Amino acid sequence: MNDTPADYLVDFGVTVTKTGGGTFTAIFDNEYAQADFDGTAVERTAPMLMARTTDVSALAKGATLTVNSVAYTIRRLEPDGTGFTRVILNS
């Protein structure tokens, strides 16, 4: 069986609420990230969504989205050319 990204939205998607109303389904990831800057470790999480491009095409940098009762600000949108867009968030 070949799962498509849309299949993963059904299985693993969460509801995302747009400021001003409206919702869509996306896959939420908040992985741990660590970087080393001149010997100083910087640790943080890196929240992001993977969503259908049609669901996020009207969104812009700085817009607020709520996922699992937590508000995030859009840092950038990265369309992947396959109909899905990675939405990079700031918490």
Side-chain angles (χ1 to χ4, degrees), residues 4 12-14 18 23 30 34 46 57 62 68 80 83-85:
T4 66
F12 304 107
V14 298
K18 303 175 195 180
T23 63
N30 196 17
Q34 181 177 357
S57 62
N68 299 328
D80 70 2
F84 280 81
T85 296

Side-chain angles (χ1 to χ4, degrees), residues 19 21 25 54 70-71 76 81 88:
T19 297
T25 301
T54 56
V70 177
R76 73 179 175 272
I88 309 301

Side-chain angles (χ1 to χ4, degrees), residues 44-47 60-63 73-77 87-90:
R44 61 170 286 199
T45 56
K61 179 180 178 179
T73 303
I74 296 176
R75 187 168 45 162
R76 73 179 175 272
L77 297 139
V87 182
I88 309 301
L89 305 168
N90 282 329

Side-chain angles (χ1 to χ4, degrees), residues 26-87:
I27 296 172
F28 178 68
D29 187 18
N30 196 17
E31 73 179 42
Y32 170 81
Q34 181 177 357
D36 183 35
F37 293 101
D38 294 324
T40 302
V42 176
E43 300 174 352
R44 61 170 286 199
T45 56
M48 56 125 336
L49 297 167
M50 182 60 79
R52 287 184 181 95
T53 300
T54 56
D55 290 334
V56 298
S57 62
L59 298 176
K61 179 180 178 179
T64 301
L65 301 173
T66 302
V67 182
N68 299 328
S69 300
V70 177
Y72 296 92
T73 303
I74 296 176
R75 187 168 45 162
R76 73 179 175 272
L77 297 139
E78 301 176 346
D80 70 2
T82 70
F84 280 81
T85 296
R86 181 182 319 256
V87 182

